[in-house]
Amino acid sequence: VLGFSSGVQAQGTYPNRPITLVAPFPPGGTSDVLSRVIAKKLGEALGQPITVDNKPGASGNIGHDFVAKSPPDGYTIVISNSSTFVSNPYLYKRMPFDPYNDFESMGLVASAGQVLIVHPSVPARTVAELTALAKAKPGKLNFGSGGKGIQSHVSGEMYKTAVGVDIVHVPYKGTIQAVTDVVAGQVEMVFSDMVPAMPQIKAGTVRALAVTSVNRSSALPEVPTMIESGIPGFNAGVWWALLGPKGTPPAVVARINSEWAKISKDPEVIESYARLGVNTEHSTPAKVLEMARAEYPVMGKILRDAGVQAE
């Protein structure tokens, strides 16, 4: 009888031990920084510490694969994003997991546009001037990215197609490395996530030309959008969601989702997100897969047009 009752209690008191939140990208990037905000607040709400475990590599696949193969008990979760979900199936001939069938979604937690930054030596103060420069020197300007098919690459390809310029893609192992090389003058520009770009913009080591969201960023109110800069319909960004392994109990999913609903309205969280140039988000678990499925064919066309082949 004792064994039975303690088993019932163990299930009924989730969580009763620490939780691991896997960040599938390198330290210092957006997924990592967001993970730390989420782990602190969600851990407080759940009454158990949440440890962030960085497992970078293969554009997020390594960390996701680890979580997909973890016990589905709510004690190992991952912060996913739209690049991994929507782009990776086009980039890898063999995915180690199925993004649509190997996870339980717990809902959206963040969204953000990007910012086009250039090295100060680039003689362009607007997107129009950058486009004119690129047209005058075809194949001479380079744009860095966080890796093939990552949103920073996709945004660059969208720009090339929209204005008809030939700029050369230079992929890195993370957007933070690409930004570092813009600062060093190794590449001229990058469509960067807000998190690695913001300190450099503030320090004046790079120049921000435009943001890729439909509306201006509250973190960079003086920087115009790509649409305002003369490229109609240009809208590129990333969303982040929490996922657990397939078979995670519905009660656990519901608990994490409802706690996050409250946390996402916390002024302190909204403020720390805003400093990063990121918006807080909350959604139903189902919404994540709906968004991914809607974006999947659109991304396929962008990557095919860019000549990106699966490896």
Side-chain angles (χ1 to χ4, degrees), residues 91-149:
L91 305 180
Y92 295 89
K93 284 192 178 129
R94 286 186 200 78
M95 286 282 281
F97 58 88
D98 177 339
Y100 296 95
N101 294 307
D102 288 351
F103 297 99
E104 300 290 348
S105 162
M106 296 170 170
L108 292 174
V109 292
S111 69
Q114 293 181 303
V115 57
L116 170 57
I117 55 170
V118 298
H119 186 267
S121 68
V122 174
R125 298 206 163 265
T126 64
V127 174
E129 287 176 5
L130 182 68
T131 303
L133 184 68
K135 284 185 172 168
K137 299 162 83 168
K140 291 283 187 282
L141 299 181
N142 296 326
F143 78 99
S145 83
K148 199 176 72 160

Side-chain angles (χ1 to χ4, degrees), residues 14-21 43 46-52 73-77:
Y14 173 84
N16 55 21
R17 56 190 165 90
I19 297 164
T20 299
L21 173 56
L46 293 171
Q48 286 289 348
I50 299 181
T51 311
V52 176
D73 54 13
Y75 291 96
T76 309
I77 57 179

Side-chain angles (χ1 to χ4, degrees), residues 47 82 117 150 278 300 307:
S82 43
I117 55 170
I150 295 282
V278 178

Side-chain angles (χ1 to χ4, degrees), residues 109-111 260 263-266 269-270 273 278-282:
V109 292
S111 69
W260 181 255
I263 295 165
S264 67
K265 297 183 176 70
D266 178 336
V269 173
I270 292 168
Y273 266 44
V278 178
N279 309 306
T280 58
E281 296 285 351
H282 174 260

Side-chain angles (χ1 to χ4, degrees), residues 37-67:
V37 176
I38 292 164
K40 179 178 178 291
K41 285 293 182 179
L42 194 56
E44 286 167 6
L46 293 171
Q48 286 289 348
I50 299 181
T51 311
V52 176
D53 182 9
N54 291 91
K55 289 192 183 298
S59 302
N61 280 357
I62 288 170
H64 281 74
D65 186 41
F66 175 82
V67 173

